[in-house]
Amino acid sequence: MAGASHYVLPLPEFDKPVKLAIVVAPYYKEIADWMIAGAKAEIEKVGGSYEVIEVPGALEVPTAIRIAYRQSNFDGFVALGCVIRGETTHYDTVCNDSSRAIQLLGLEGACIGNGILTVENYEQAAVRANPEDQNKGGGAAAAALHLIALTRRFGRPKGGVGFKPRAETIEIAGGSEGPATA
């Protein structure tokens, strides 16, 4: 079944190289491999680099991204995985919680393309994952690249927002005696 045609933004251009983490849950290995291939190809189109990080399942993807976001130097992240509906409500939990966690990380400032597929069956996943078909891995990488470009466009120097920490000494205006204590 052919889907409706949709507009795809051209990939952004970068004056400085970008580095992304492709965080993948390879529970369905063939699906994951197709999505990784699609993501890698999109990142390579802009001259970017990447590291693939595997985690056990879709619920661990946002946690791994959060760890890397706080402790590494990645410009962005590509979240990849596949959740296929089963006989229990576990599907709903995994879909909703992984998506919500990724969205919250994005609101914190992490540049994430969400490519975690949520489908009814393996055939739907294969169509969406295959780089020669819907290429959702490539789409997730493109989304992350666009967010990185936006962050760089509107970026500010790193530093805290709000009050500066209290200095060791406080100088009183008009005083020539040196520092005074508070």
Side-chain angles (χ1 to χ4, degrees), residues 31 53 74:
I31 300 298
I53 301 165
F74 293 106

Side-chain angles (χ1 to χ4, degrees), residues 5-166:
S5 175
H6 63 278
Y7 176 72
V8 177
L9 289 172
L11 288 174
E13 296 180 12
F14 296 96
D15 55 353
K16 293 184 335 187
V18 293
K19 180 180 177 185
L20 289 91
I22 299 171
V23 181
V24 60
Y27 191 82
Y28 299 101
K29 185 79 168 113
E30 182 179 38
I31 300 298
D33 288 346
W34 276 338
M35 293 182 70
I36 292 167
K40 286 178 176 181
E42 289 298 296
I43 295 166
E44 289 169 357
K45 285 179 188 175
V46 300
S49 62
Y50 52 82
E51 180 178 334
V52 176
I53 301 165
E54 291 186 340
V55 296
L59 285 175
E60 290 76 36
V61 170
T63 303
I65 290 172
R66 179 67 166 123
I67 292 166
Y69 179 61
R70 293 204 52 178
Q71 300 177 5
S72 71
N73 63 344
F74 293 106
D75 296 300
F77 304 89
V78 182
L80 301 178
C82 179
V83 185
I84 298 175
R85 186 178 300 277
E87 297 175 357
T88 69
T89 58
H90 182 66
Y91 170 86
D92 298 312
T93 299
V94 175
C95 294
N96 292 332
D97 289 357
S98 64
S99 179
R100 179 170 292 124
I102 288 169
Q103 185 66 32
L104 289 172
L105 288 168
L107 293 173
E108 282 185 26
C111 299
I112 306 171
N114 186 353
I116 297 178
L117 302 178
T118 54
V119 296
E120 298 296 320
N121 54 55
Y122 189 87
E123 292 74 27
Q124 289 177 351
V127 167
R128 285 157 180 77
N130 188 334
E132 301 300 319
D133 205 328
Q134 290 188 16
N135 193 21
K136 295 298 185 179
L145 292 166
H146 281 285
L147 293 172
I148 293 165
L150 190 62
T151 298
R152 288 185 179 182
R153 176 178 168 192
F154 295 122
R156 287 176 246 168
K158 294 275 183 178
V161 175
F163 297 103
K164 292 184 177 183
R166 180 176 277 197

Side-chain angles (χ1 to χ4, degrees), residues 164-172 178-182:
K164 292 184 177 183
R166 180 176 277 197
E168 293 291 321
T169 59
I170 300 173
E171 293 191 30
I172 300 183
T181 57

